């Protein structure tokens, strides 16, 4: 399968990429790892006239501490994150999620920025970034702005990103002392995308849940924060019973997707199971 | 509009004008005649097209040739050294790691990425590293043994050297 014809430009800097995107307008698309875009182009679901390749930009490919925050460049690959000590030490769900994406070959090419921009309803990173209280840094012809992960995913393959903007980095605030996290997913056995995935981070003090952050993916048109689960667990003792009870709220009131592989009812059931597993693992 | 690319494939430098929509696997097979890299699914799933680009295993059906401009590419044809099989190739022969052989080039290139990162993988680690590679014949068991054979042989060679 061969994509439609297009012109190809390899940007040598983020600024040049922004210029090229502005110049070519609606017809242009950014190309990072290409592991969502190229399959879609081969199926002609997407037919951009111009590709602006940002896949080789070293200025987008890093993982570092900045003050108390962890900052991940949009061009960091899933494999970079899977192997990053600082990422693991900040929130272990980052390396857990990275390691569960696709396979080695996919992780070697696919990037964090590409995954967030693509906003596949079954992607792993959106849930992890919501649970991590991440901020997504965007740059366009009119300057930079930051959007909270909570507000970034607006619908089915839709985000707060404007046509002419680039995700440059993802900033994750240092979690409070006593925080542990986990990402658990039930994967589609062929594609390895999430049927349901749950990211949870728990801040514990003397066996009591001080703070909890939970997000789900795969369930509906976009990843979302499971506020009702958080409310049910905050301030409670982190017993198996309390966690199981709070996890029952996962997926409540959500319009779940169904397909030939997993029905709506099954997905809603899995949401509870995987919320419980992620919370149990994070509370350990 | 054709684009000029320069790539090093199995140690040899090439320069060609390519249509930007040319997939890297097409470039290898149709332009360079390196047909050892196979196309199984053409949908990024089966791993038959796996090659190394700058040392990392990637699926060449999901990469444009223009993306590889400036890169070092290694395919199955570059594994043997002057007629001496690479330990992975030898392992697949000795341990019956192939039947029809269609998946084998991709299996070997994905395994090469694994052994580069982790020269002494456990059985579980080998199975995980080959998750992106499908085999319709062998049931994977002998493929795992083949990789173990190669890991052993490489570590012995390194001790001698
Ligand atoms: C076989 C296979 C299995 C997979 N399994 C999983 C899985 O289990 N879980 C999972 O979450 N994902 C999975 N993926 C998707 C994979 O993670 C993709 O790599 C990722 O979704 C997109 O990243 P990319 O760098 O390849 O982006 P690209 O494909 O290059 O781009 C995707 C979209 O994002 C835009 N874009 C890219 N970078 C930026 C940027 N910095 N700023 C703004 N826009 C940008 C592009 O214009 C395009 O619209 C799988 C993919 C394949 C092929
Ligand atoms: S042909 Fe590339 S993954 Fe199957
Ligand atoms: S040997 Fe036939 S597909 Fe693997």
């Amino acid at each position: 399968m061969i994509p439609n014809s297009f012109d190809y430009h390899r940007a040598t800097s983020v600024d040049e990429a922004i210029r090229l995107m502005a110049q070519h307008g609606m017809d242009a698309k950014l190309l990072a790892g290409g592991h969502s875009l190229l399959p879609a182009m081969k199926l002609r679901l997407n037919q951009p006239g111009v590709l602006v390749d940002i896949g080789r930009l070293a200025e987008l490919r890093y993982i570092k501490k900045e003050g108390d925050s962890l900052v991940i460049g949009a061009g960091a690959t899933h494999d970079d994150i899977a192997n990053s000590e600082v990422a693991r030490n900040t929130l272990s769900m980052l390396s857990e999620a990275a390691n569960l994406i696709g396979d080695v070959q996919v992780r070697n090419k696919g990037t964090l920025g590409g995954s967030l921009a693509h906003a596949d309803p079954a992607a792993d990173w959106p849930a992890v970034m919501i649970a991590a209280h991440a901020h997504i840094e965007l740059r366009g012809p009119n300057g930079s702005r930051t959007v909270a992960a909570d507000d970034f995913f607006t619908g089915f393959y839709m985000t707060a990103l404007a046509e002419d903007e680039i995700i440059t980095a993802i900033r994750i605030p240092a979690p409070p002392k006593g925080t542990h996290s986990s990402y658990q997913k039930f994967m589609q056995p062929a594609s390895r995308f999430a049927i349901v995935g749950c990211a949870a981070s728990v801040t514990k003090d003397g066996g009591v849940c001080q703070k909890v952050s939970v997000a789900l993916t795969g369930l509906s048109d976009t990843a979302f924060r499971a506020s009702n689960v958080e409310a049910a667990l905050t301030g409670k003792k982190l017993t198996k019973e309390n966690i199981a009870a709070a996890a029952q709220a996962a997926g409540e009131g959500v319009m779940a997707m169904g397909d030939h592989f997993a029905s709506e009812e099954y997905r809603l059931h899995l949401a509870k199971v995987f919320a419980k597993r992620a919370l149990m693992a994070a509370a350990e | 509009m054709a684009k000029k690319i320069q790539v090093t494939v199995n140690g040899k430098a090439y320069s060609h004008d390519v249509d930007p929509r040319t997939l890297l696997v097409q470039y290898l097979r149709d332009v360079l005649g390196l047909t050892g890299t196979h196309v199984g699914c053409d949908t990024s799933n089966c791993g038959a097209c796996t090659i190394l680009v700058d040392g990392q295993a990637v699926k060449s059906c999901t990469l444009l040739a223009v993306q590889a401009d400036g890169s070092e590419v290694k395919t199955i044809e570059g594994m043997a050294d002057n007629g001496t099989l690479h330990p992975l190739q030898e392992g697949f022969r000795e341990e019956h790691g192939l039947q029809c052989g269609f998946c084998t080039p991709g299996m070997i290139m994905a395994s090469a990425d694994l052994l580069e990162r982790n020269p002494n993988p456990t059985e579980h680690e080998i199975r995980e590293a080959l998750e992106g590679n499908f085999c319709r014949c062998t049931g994977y068991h002998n493929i795992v043994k083949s990789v173990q054979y190669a890991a052993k042989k490489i570590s012995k060679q390194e001790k001698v050297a």
Side-chain angles (χ1 to χ4, degrees):
Chain A
M1 294 180 301
I2 298 165
N4 239 20
S5 290
F6 54 84
D7 280 339
Y8 172 89
H9 299 282
R10 189 183 285 181
T12 53
S13 67
V14 171
D15 288 337
E16 190 193 2
I18 290 170
R19 256 199 319 278
L20 285 165
M21 291 298 288
Q23 187 185 326
H24 295 286
M26 295 284 280
D27 204 25
K29 271 217 157 277
L30 294 168
L31 174 71
H35 271 50
S36 290
L37 186 54
L38 292 178
M41 286 173 63
K42 285 166 81 176
L43 294 169
R44 311 266 171 129
L45 295 171
N46 218 317
Q47 311 194 9
V50 177
L51 285 187
V52 176
D53 189 354
I54 53 169
R56 296 287 189 100
L57 292 180
E59 64 178 302
L60 289 178
R61 191 169 176 183
Y62 59 86
I63 303 172
K64 65 179 182 200
K65 276 283 211 204
E66 222 176 76
D68 274 347
S69 303
L70 176 76
V71 190
I72 307 179
T77 63
H78 310 319
D79 185 65
D80 292 342
I81 302 168
N83 291 312
S84 161
E85 284 287 322
V86 259
R88 183 173 310 116
N89 293 339
T90 305
L91 283 168
S92 59
M93 67 180 169
L94 293 170
S95 32
E96 284 172 34
N99 268 308
L100 288 172
I101 293 177
D103 47 54
V104 182
Q105 292 95 320
V106 171
R107 297 195 287 273
N108 280 343
K109 284 309 291 180
T111 65
L112 174 57
S115 174
L116 298 179
H118 194 60
D120 190 303
D124 298 300
W125 286 129
V128 175
M129 292 305 151
I130 291 172
H133 295 287
H135 286 266
I136 298 165
E137 300 185 352
L138 313 175
R139 202 193 301 169
N142 302 320
S144 303
R145 65 184 181 119
T146 298
V147 180
D150 274 281
D151 304 323
F152 187 74
F153 305 101
T154 53
F156 194 63
Y157 292 101
M158 288 204 313
T159 69
L161 188 69
E163 290 282 345
D164 54 1
E165 281 179 319
I166 292 186
I167 302 176
T168 51
I170 292 81
R171 186 173 293 266
I172 297 170
K177 244 178 86 103
T179 303
H180 292 279
S181 65
S182 178
Y183 181 71
Q184 302 279 330
K185 84 165 161 176
F186 184 72
M187 58 177 81
Q188 219 287 356
S191 76
R192 301 175 63 75
F193 271 98
I195 299 284
V196 166
C198 181
S201 134
V202 174
T203 309
K204 179 156 89 164
D205 188 8
V208 174
C209 174
Q210 293 296 323
K211 254 183 93 178
V212 56
S213 183
V214 184
L216 289 161
T217 189
L219 201 56
S220 60
D221 57 355
T222 166
F224 62 95
R225 177 175 297 284
S227 313
N228 41 5
V229 178
E230 296 174 352
L233 197 60
T234 308
K236 297 263 165 63
K237 259 198 138 77
L238 286 164
T239 60
K240 214 176 154 188
E241 293 70 31
N242 285 344
I243 289 174
Q248 284 300 311
E252 233 171 44
V254 171
M255 280 273 286
M257 300 187 296
D259 56 27
H260 64 282
F261 190 79
S263 65
E264 292 149 45
E265 295 78 9
Y266 188 44
R267 276 195 163 80
L268 286 168
H269 168 73
L270 288 173
K272 296 176 185 155
V273 173
F274 281 78
K276 182 173 148 196
R277 286 189 192 172
L279 285 166
M280 289 293 289
E284 273 203 345
Chain B
M1 203 173 52
K3 192 105 196 154
K4 187 168 220 69
I5 61 166
Q6 288 181 315
V7 280
T8 305
V9 182
N10 301 329
K12 216 171 138 191
Y14 296 92
S15 174
H16 284 103
D17 286 323
V18 298
D19 183 342
R21 62 178 170 162
T22 310
L23 302 172
L24 182 54
V25 70
Q26 280 179 284
Y27 174 72
L28 294 170
R29 291 177 57 89
D30 302 348
V31 179
L32 302 188
L34 295 171
T35 52
T37 303
H38 294 163
V39 178
C41 64
D42 202 7
T43 56
S44 328
N45 286 294
C46 75
C49 64
T50 303
I51 58 168
L52 301 182
V53 174
D54 297 323
Q56 288 201 309
V58 296
K59 293 174 178 170
S60 59
C61 75
T62 314
L63 217 66
L64 301 168
V66 285
Q67 283 176 284
D69 182 22
S71 288
E72 294 251 358
V73 173
K74 193 162 189 174
T75 69
I76 188 69
E77 289 90 346
M79 291 299 275
D81 183 12
N82 251 332
T84 308
L85 293 186
H86 184 277
L88 275 164
Q89 294 172 304
E90 189 184 311
F92 274 73
R93 187 181 64 189
E94 293 303 316
E95 298 292 345
H96 305 283
L98 63 146
Q99 288 176 24
C100 79
F102 192 85
C103 70
T104 315
M107 288 286 177
I108 288 181
M109 301 319 284
S111 303
D113 178 313
L114 168 69
L115 294 184
E116 191 56 46
R117 297 167 190 241
N118 178 359
N120 230 322
T122 62
E123 178 188 339
H124 181 71
E125 285 167 339
I126 295 173
R127 288 185 188 273
E128 275 200 331
L130 296 178
E131 254 160 1
N133 294 75
F134 299 166
C135 175
R136 300 283 76 179
C137 305
T138 64
Y140 301 98
H141 198 66
N142 287 353
I143 292 179
V144 174
K145 287 207 261 178
S146 308
V147 180
Q148 286 169 326
Y149 177 104
K152 255 191 227 124
K153 169 133 193 193
I154 294 170
S155 77
K156 254 194 224 142
Q157 281 174 343
E158 274 167 9
K159 268 190 205 126
V160 174

